[in-house]
Amino acid sequence: MSSWITGDQPKCNKRNADNDLVVNGMEICSMKIDSKVTSRFAHNVITSRAVNRGNVPKEVFFDVELPKTAFITNFSMTIDGVTYPGTIKEKEAAKKQYEKAVSRGQTAGLVKASGRKTEKFTVSVNIKAASTVTFELTYEELLKRQFGKYEMFIKVKPKQLVKDFEIEVDIFEPQGITELEAEGTFITNELQNTIKKTFSGKKGHISFKPTLDQQRTCANCSDSVLDGDFTVRYDVKRTTPDNLQIVNGYFVHFFAPTNLPKLSKNIIFVLDTSGSMSGRGIEQTKEALLKILDDIKEDDFFNFVLFDSKIFTWKETLIKATPENLDEARKFVQHISAQGLTNLHGGLMRGIDILNAAHEENLVPKRSASIIIMLTDGQPNVGVSDTHEIEKAVKKAIDGRYTLYNLGFGSGVDYGFLERMALENKGLARRIYPDSDAALQLQGFYDEVSNPMLIDVELNYPENEISDLTTNTFKHFYDGSEIVVAGRFVDSNQNHLSVDVRGEGAHNALLYTTEQGAEQTAQAFQEQQYIFGEYIERLWAYLTIEQLLEKRITATGEEKENLTAQALALSLLYKFVTPLTSMVVTKPEENDNEEGIADKPTEASPLYHSSAAAPTWYTSGITVNGELIGDKRANSDAKIQNSYFGKLGIANKHLGVKLTVTPETITIQNGDEKTGFTWLDSVTLQQAGLTLIINRKKNLVLSMGSGVSFVVVLHQVWKKHPLHQDFLGLYTLKSDKLSEKTHGLLGQFFQPIDFTILEIHPGSDPKKPDATMIVKNNELTVTRGWQKDYRRDPAHGVDIPCWFVHDNGAGLIDGVHTDYIVSSLF
């Protein structure tokens, strides 16, 4: 795909740069983020040029955070005039290249989930002294409308001063632009005037080009103030409820009626009040609910269902939101507490029963929207705990009548289960991050679904004219949102289309018919020259792939295979990096032709420690990953929550052997053959070049020939302990046998690290002094503490002194902690 950056680009001059422009020998000469938005579809190109100002080869990094909703479509790097392009392949076809890179100790994964809304694309390359490199990344996304505006999010973080930095956004909307705004979380009063904004008719333009001095955090500083989010919002003119555009055999239909009366809603809050929600989690939930109660309309009906080991309902039926009932509900919410286990199935079924009864007994208006919002922070462990059984029961009970929204609080949830169950019931799942703003996250989600305008919306097109149509039925249309349907014509020369739209409103049924021809779209497009390619065709492909992948989540068997095949074919045809494809980036010979793989992370991949698989290290052909668990419930008195190894996976690619260890079982797999043991066994097993020794109820030793050996220690606690649970310890023997390229969250520390401790002084805890650690050219504040070493005394351990590094090891570990999270043990 061609770049949309035009004109002469700033060059990296061979002369020496100002000292404050050079960091670790590298100068970023220019960085440009160029966005073209046509009919909500955004095409973004990020170009960065850098030069090695040193006298020796240097490694240069290209780090970009892009929206999770975007698909990467192209990447290339040009070194001294030679271009190294990325190629998009089927994920399975790229797998061997990935394994080859990992076995050499290289960091092959280029894309990682890095935040609530972003994924990080990272690539590095060694370049010679005085050489230049140009990186170019292209990605596309369909902008969604929320709260009456389309939003485009750009992460800005160059990490150093940039001589020529620019963001440029061009927007073209055939309907006309009614408002346009841009803001940045890092924008100071001085920088505010550098944002240039104009819009007229169908065109809008935004530019942001700070000078070097404007980028500085202070007058003589060499640090950059450019660090945060740059957001563009706009909306379009709506003289009719919809807009239809036809270009070259494809169409897109936007539907967003205005000035409709709001439907009343019937809402059941199904809330997890088990012990793990105690402390901050339950307090934030209560804070959000109290604010939500302030927003509930008097025509609405509502109720609360609480579940822990038992099920508790506030009222036996849905209650109208009168001022008196809302006051009573506030008192109820204030007294909610958390304890016990997690009977998720019982809570959901009770909520569905209440809705069913309300409709059967005509307690609620016939024309109203019924919604279930379920919040949980864990996994079902009492009552019906099999997630597949819960999914089947909930789907049968709802029977397509209501929408289910599942909110997963924190990291202990089975997000895949919540997502499947929501999608099967015409809703969606959302992850709630356990940060200081968790209450605002909960309230923000409620705001998105609090104003239904239509239910059971159908957009119907002539069947004999359309061959491929995206989703055209929707349970709800919410105020401030937009429905988008795209399709492909049977006859690519067709230039007109009629549409019937049906839906149920507050007072009557909606029936709307429209017809538009391609000549109207073409006339609108004559007024501008910067539309990129076949944008409607690419919009259709993007939307189709997105929906196929969503359907694939709940599908099984042959249906899932067919959906996968369709999504894969379109991903390869239109060159999108999706969960089914990978981009292979090959570096030049000076980098040993190292290959990186850019994959698309999925939201169901665990993000945090309690259910994440954290890579501990890679050595030659060996991978060790660990899945972390927390305590049975959060300790509200502790600032830092404990985490432990709950599962370990050790794989030797050369031997084709995988070992999986939990506090209950030990499984060794050689090819398709599996052998299982428990910790009650005493075993010595030799196979495929390795030796496994299990010492009953104590530990196991896995030896691989004359190389490194791994020791897994079983730590058992009292079964009825209110807080702790069994966990595993991981140690190495003959660690000198590890490869010099050993890496990973723990593996990187098997090579010596130079550090210095200075300025030991009292900390906030009188028993734990603070100090300054100088490591990797960073100054870190560290705190003295103690940890247990169980190698000599597995039962009690030996206390050893250590320094605690704050902020998830920032400044000590290579990269950031989220770089070490994977979706599964193997």
Side-chain angles (χ1 to χ4, degrees):
M1 180 172 294
S2 59
S3 165
W4 289 98
I5 297 181
T6 58
D8 295 332
Q9 295 306 305
K11 298 184 182 299
C12 291
N13 296 324
K14 298 296 183 181
R15 64 169 179 80
N16 288 333
D18 297 335
N19 287 335
D20 56 0
L21 294 180
V22 179
V23 176
N24 294 327
M26 298 301 305
E27 177 196 354
I28 302 178
C29 311
S30 66
M31 180 176 288
K32 182 167 184 179
I33 301 168
D34 187 272
S35 298
K36 306 291 185 190
V37 182
T38 304
S39 296
R40 294 73 149 168
F41 196 60
H43 174 93
N44 309 280
V45 181
I46 301 175
T47 304
S48 178
R49 290 175 169 81
V51 61
N52 181 357
R53 296 295 186 193
N55 298 318
V56 296
K58 292 283 185 180
E59 186 176 25
V60 59
F61 287 85
F62 177 67
D63 284 339
V64 173
E65 292 189 50
L66 57 152
K68 289 182 178 179
T69 53
F71 290 154
I72 293 172
T73 64
N74 197 19
F75 172 76
S76 67
M77 53 187 170
T78 302
I79 303 173
D80 291 336
V82 180
T83 298
Y84 302 86
T87 56
I88 295 177
K89 299 182 177 181
E90 181 182 357
K91 190 180 292 289
E92 286 302 312
K95 188 176 181 181
K96 289 183 179 179
Q97 290 167 283
Y98 175 84
E99 291 176 344
K100 180 181 177 182
V102 170
S103 70
R104 294 196 302 245
Q106 298 164 356
T107 305
L110 303 183
V111 183
K112 304 274 194 268
S114 65
R116 298 179 187 178
K117 299 193 294 184
T118 59
E119 297 161 354
K120 180 183 283 189
F121 176 94
T122 303
V123 68
S124 66
V125 63
N126 286 307
I127 61 171
K128 298 175 183 175
S131 289
T132 61
V133 59
T134 300
F135 298 103
E136 183 174 286
L137 178 71
T138 305
Y139 65 91
E140 295 177 341
E141 65 171 326
L142 177 64
L143 304 182
K144 292 180 172 57
R145 187 171 185 255
Q146 278 188 338
F147 306 117
K149 294 178 183 177
Y150 305 98
E151 179 177 293
M152 184 168 68
F153 166 85
I154 297 171
K155 192 73 173 180
V156 177
K157 194 170 185 176
K159 298 183 180 179
Q160 66 187 77
L161 298 175
V162 180
K163 184 177 180 182
D164 293 289
F165 181 92
E166 183 176 9
I167 296 175
E168 190 167 19
V169 180
D170 286 300
I171 302 172
F172 182 79
E173 288 289 350
Q175 292 169 263
I177 298 172
T178 57
E179 55 182 315
L180 176 63
E181 60 188 54
E183 63 182 19
T185 57
F186 55 88
I187 298 295
T188 61
N189 290 334
E190 183 181 0
L191 280 176
Q192 191 65 50
N193 293 329
T194 64
I195 299 179
K196 306 298 182 183
K197 178 187 71 173
T198 60
F199 71 95
S200 177
K202 301 176 177 65
K203 301 178 185 178
H205 180 78
I206 287 173
S207 67
F208 173 63
K209 192 173 183 179
T211 65
L212 265 178
D213 287 340
Q214 289 171 328
Q215 294 176 43
R216 301 179 192 274
T217 53
C218 66
N220 298 315
C221 296
S222 58
D223 292 330
S224 174
V225 74
L226 304 183
D227 185 359
D229 304 337
F230 189 85
T231 305
V232 174
R233 297 183 183 89
Y234 73 93
D235 200 16
V236 301
K237 188 180 298 181
R238 300 180 195 281
T239 55
T240 60
D242 68 342
N243 177 256
L244 187 62
Q245 298 175 26
I246 301 171
V247 175
N248 296 340
Y250 293 82
F251 78 87
V252 60
H253 185 201
F254 302 104
F255 179 72
T258 57
N259 301 320
L260 293 175
K262 291 182 174 61
L263 281 165
S264 64
K265 60 183 178 293
N266 317 306
I267 187 163
I268 296 279
F269 297 96
V270 180
L271 307 173
D272 182 346
T273 57
S274 61
S276 57
M277 281 289 290
S278 64
R280 192 181 185 192
I282 200 68
E283 292 305 316
Q284 290 174 319
T285 301
K286 289 160 64 173
E287 179 186 344
L289 288 174
L290 290 172
K291 292 178 180 176
I292 288 170
L293 287 171
D294 291 339
D295 294 334
I296 289 182
K297 311 296 188 297
E298 190 164 357
D299 289 338
D300 294 340
F301 291 76
F302 72 106
N303 201 347
F304 296 102
V305 175
L306 311 182
F307 65 90
D308 45 56
S309 301
K310 300 178 181 178
I311 311 301
F312 183 82
T313 56
W314 173 49
K315 300 290 184 181
E316 291 305 309
T317 63
L318 282 174
I319 298 296
K320 192 171 185 182
T322 63
E324 297 78 14
N325 286 336
L326 288 170
D327 284 342
E328 186 181 346
R330 292 184 184 97
K331 294 175 184 177
F332 171 78
V333 167
Q334 288 169 343
H335 288 90
I336 292 176
S337 61
Q339 61 182 357
L341 300 177
T342 308
N343 189 350
L344 184 150
H345 170 266
L348 268 178
M349 296 304 289
R350 179 71 61 84
I352 297 167
D353 288 343
I354 291 173
L355 270 179
N356 286 342
H359 283 277
E360 291 168 2
E361 298 169 17
N362 296 319
L363 299 178
V364 296
K366 183 177 180 181
R367 295 183 186 276
S368 58
S370 293
I371 299 169
I372 301 171
I373 297 179
M374 193 270 288
L375 170 71
T376 182
D377 77 331
Q379 301 181 29
N381 55 20
V382 67
V384 179
S385 58
D386 185 296
T387 55
H388 295 291
E389 291 300 319
I390 296 174
E391 287 176 44
K392 289 192 293 185
V394 169
K395 184 177 181 180
K396 181 179 179 181
I398 290 180
D399 195 25
R401 292 168 292 183
Y402 321 128
T403 302
L404 172 63
Y405 295 109
N406 288 331
L407 306 182
F409 192 98
S411 57
V413 296
D414 182 344
Y415 190 85
F417 157 60
L418 297 181
E419 186 176 39
R420 288 192 307 272
M421 189 162 57
L423 291 174
E424 286 175 336
N425 295 285
K426 302 182 180 179
L428 56 84
R430 179 75 56 85
R431 197 182 288 276
I432 302 297
Y433 295 83
D435 297 330
S436 59
D437 67 340
L440 292 177
Q441 295 176 57
L442 290 168
Q443 186 184 0
F445 175 80
Y446 173 79
D447 290 343
E448 291 179 38
V449 300
S450 62
N451 292 309
M453 313 293 281
L454 296 170
I455 58 174
D456 298 327
V457 182
E458 294 183 11
L459 294 86
N460 298 308
Y461 308 85
E463 291 184 6
N464 60 338
E465 297 177 7
I466 307 298
S467 63
D468 294 287
L469 187 68
T470 62
T471 299
N472 66 325
T473 62
F474 304 85
K475 186 63 181 175
H476 293 144
F477 168 74
Y478 293 104
D479 189 25
S481 67
E482 181 175 68
I483 287 174
V484 182
V485 180
R488 179 165 60 179
F489 289 111
V490 173
D491 180 359
S492 61
N493 295 315
Q494 182 167 331
N495 59 10
H496 68 278
L497 183 66
S498 61
V499 187
D500 290 329
V501 182
R502 301 172 184 270
E504 295 288 331
H507 304 307
N508 49 42
L510 170 76
L511 177 59
Y512 176 78
T513 302
T514 185
E515 183 168 354
Q516 185 168 325
E519 64 277 359
Q520 294 168 275
T521 305
Q523 183 180 1
F525 290 164
Q526 288 173 2
E527 302 176 27
Q528 55 82 45
Q529 291 82 37
Y530 52 77
I531 289 178
F532 57 91
E534 302 292 344
Y535 84 97
I536 288 186
E537 181 178 349
R538 294 193 66 80
L539 186 158
W540 165 82
Y542 172 99
L543 197 57
T544 300
I545 293 169
E546 188 179 62
Q547 293 175 359
L548 288 170
L549 292 172
E550 186 176 277
K551 292 176 182 175
R552 182 173 171 266
I553 292 171
T554 59
T556 57
E558 186 176 349
E559 181 189 6
K560 185 167 188 174
E561 292 178 4
N562 291 336
L563 292 168
T564 301
Q566 294 175 54
L568 173 60
L570 286 173
S571 299
L572 293 172
L573 179 62
Y574 291 94
K575 301 189 185 312
F576 286 134
V577 176
T578 72
L580 303 176
T581 54
S582 299
M583 177 177 284
V584 180
V585 179
T586 303
K587 302 179 185 180
E589 291 180 3
E590 303 90 87
N591 295 260
D592 299 321
N593 291 107
E594 181 181 331
E595 290 167 335
I597 309 297
D599 288 330
K600 178 73 174 175
T602 59
E603 185 61 38
S605 302
L607 298 179
Y608 291 104
H609 65 81
S610 65
S611 62
T616 53
W617 56 71
Y618 300 111
T619 182
S620 180
I622 299 172
T623 304
V624 182
N625 287 337
E627 184 176 274
L628 301 184
I629 59 173
D631 287 328
K632 293 177 181 177
R633 58 178 176 83
N635 185 350
S636 58
D637 297 327
K639 293 181 180 179
I640 300 172
Q641 301 300 322
N642 294 320
S643 60
Y644 318 89
F645 282 124
K647 183 185 289 187
L648 290 167
I650 304 174
N652 187 314
K653 186 186 71 172
H654 300 308
L655 300 178
V657 175
K658 297 177 181 178
L659 178 73
T660 305
V661 186
T662 74
E664 293 80 33
T665 61
I666 302 155
T667 304
I668 188 165
Q669 180 175 354
N670 187 355
D672 294 330
E673 182 181 340
K674 286 186 179 181
T675 306
F677 306 98
T678 73
W679 284 100
L680 297 177
D681 296 318
S682 293
V683 174
T684 299
L685 175 69
Q686 292 182 319
Q687 76 174 216
L690 58 78
T691 302
L692 174 66
I693 301 173
I694 302 175
N695 297 308
R696 187 175 187 268
K697 290 187 176 183
K698 292 182 179 179
N699 59 38
L700 67 80
V701 181
L702 178 67
S703 303
M704 302 185 186
S706 59
V708 66
S709 296
F710 298 98
V711 180
V712 179
V713 177
L714 173 66
H715 297 284
Q716 292 183 303
V717 300
W718 180 43
K719 294 299 181 185
K720 295 183 180 181
H721 194 288
L723 194 64
H724 303 311
Q725 55 183 322
D726 294 350
F727 64 98
L728 303 171
L730 176 66
Y731 306 94
T732 61
L733 302 176
K734 301 181 184 178
S735 58
D736 59 304
K737 301 290 186 180
L738 291 169
S739 160
E740 291 183 0
K741 292 186 176 181
T742 297
H743 205 269
L745 188 58
L746 302 182
Q748 61 191 289
F749 299 108
F750 278 85
Q751 305 302 325
I753 293 178
D754 293 327
F755 68 93
T756 303
I757 297 294
L758 304 172
E759 302 172 358
I760 299 177
H761 58 276
S764 57
D765 185 336
K767 298 179 181 179
K768 298 179 179 180
D770 286 349
T772 298
M773 175 185 283
I774 308 297
V775 60
K776 297 182 179 178
N777 295 321
N778 297 315
E779 290 189 13
L780 309 179
T781 298
V782 294
T783 302
R784 196 62 160 170
W786 299 86
Q787 288 292 323
K788 293 283 189 183
D789 183 344
Y790 291 97
R791 285 177 293 183
R792 294 182 179 88
D793 183 356
H796 304 99
V798 177
D799 287 328
I800 57 171
C802 61
W803 290 104
F804 178 81
V805 181
H806 302 271
D807 299 325
N808 297 306
L812 173 66
I813 64 174
D814 293 340
V816 296
H817 69 287
T818 53
D819 293 339
Y820 299 93
I821 295 176
V822 294
S823 59
S824 64
L825 281 180
F826 301 112

Coordinates of all heavy atoms in Angstrom, one line a residue, residues 609 629-631 635 638 640-644 723-724:
H609 N -1.5 -10.5 36.0 CA -0.8 -11.6 36.5 C -1.6 -12.8 37.0 O -1.2 -13.9 36.9 CB 0.1 -11.1 37.7 CG -0.7 -10.6 38.9 ND1 -1.3 -11.5 39.8 CD2 -1.1 -9.4 39.3 CE1 -2.0 -10.7 40.7 NE2 -1.8 -9.5 40.4
I629 N -1.2 -16.8 39.8 CA -2.4 -16.8 40.5 C -2.2 -15.8 41.7 O -1.1 -15.5 42.1 CB -2.9 -18.2 41.0 CG1 -1.8 -18.8 41.9 CG2 -3.2 -19.1 39.8 CD1 -2.2 -20.1 42.6
G630 N -3.4 -15.4 42.2 CA -3.3 -14.6 43.4 C -3.9 -15.3 44.6 O -4.1 -16.5 44.6
D631 N -4.1 -14.6 45.7 CA -4.7 -15.2 46.9 C -6.2 -15.4 46.5 O -6.7 -15.0 45.5 CB -4.6 -14.2 48.1 CG -3.2 -14.2 48.6 OD1 -2.5 -15.2 48.6 OD2 -2.8 -13.1 49.1
N635 N -6.4 -8.9 49.6 CA -6.2 -8.4 51.0 C -6.3 -6.9 51.0 O -5.4 -6.2 50.5 CB -4.7 -8.9 51.4 CG -4.4 -8.5 52.8 OD1 -5.2 -7.8 53.5 ND2 -3.3 -9.0 53.3
A638 N -3.4 -4.7 52.2 CA -2.1 -4.7 51.6 C -2.1 -3.8 50.3 O -3.0 -3.8 49.5 CB -1.8 -6.2 51.1
I640 N 0.2 -4.0 48.0 CA 0.6 -4.9 46.9 C 0.0 -6.3 47.1 O 0.2 -6.9 48.2 CB 2.2 -5.0 46.8 CG1 2.7 -3.6 46.6 CG2 2.6 -5.9 45.7 CD1 4.2 -3.5 46.6
Q641 N -0.7 -6.8 46.1 CA -1.3 -8.1 46.3 C -0.3 -9.2 45.9 O 0.5 -9.0 45.0 CB -2.5 -8.2 45.4 CG -3.6 -7.2 45.7 CD -4.1 -7.3 47.1 OE1 -4.3 -8.4 47.6 NE2 -4.4 -6.1 47.8
N642 N -0.3 -10.3 46.6 CA 0.6 -11.4 46.3 C 0.2 -12.1 45.0 O -0.9 -12.2 44.7 CB 0.6 -12.4 47.5 CG 1.1 -11.8 48.8 OD1 2.1 -11.1 48.8 ND2 0.5 -12.2 49.9
S643 N 1.2 -12.7 44.4 CA 1.0 -13.5 43.2 C 2.0 -14.7 43.3 O 3.1 -14.5 43.8 CB 1.1 -12.7 41.9 OG 2.4 -12.2 41.8
Y644 N 1.6 -15.8 42.7 CA 2.4 -17.0 42.8 C 2.2 -17.8 41.5 O 1.3 -17.5 40.7 CB 1.9 -18.0 43.9 CG 1.5 -17.3 45.2 CD1 0.2 -16.8 45.4 CD2 2.5 -17.1 46.2 CE1 -0.1 -16.2 46.6 CE2 2.1 -16.5 47.4 CZ 0.8 -16.0 47.6 OH 0.5 -15.4 48.8
L723 N -7.1 -17.2 53.0 CA -6.4 -16.3 52.0 C -5.5 -17.0 51.0 O -5.7 -16.9 49.8 CB -5.5 -15.3 52.8 CG -5.1 -14.1 52.0 CD1 -6.2 -13.2 51.5 CD2 -4.1 -13.2 52.9
H724 N -4.6 -17.9 51.5 CA -3.6 -18.5 50.6 C -4.1 -19.8 50.0 O -5.0 -20.4 50.5 CB -2.3 -18.7 51.4 CG -1.8 -17.5 52.0 ND1 -1.6 -16.3 51.3 CD2 -1.3 -17.3 53.3 CE1 -1.1 -15.4 52.2 NE2 -0.9 -15.9 53.4

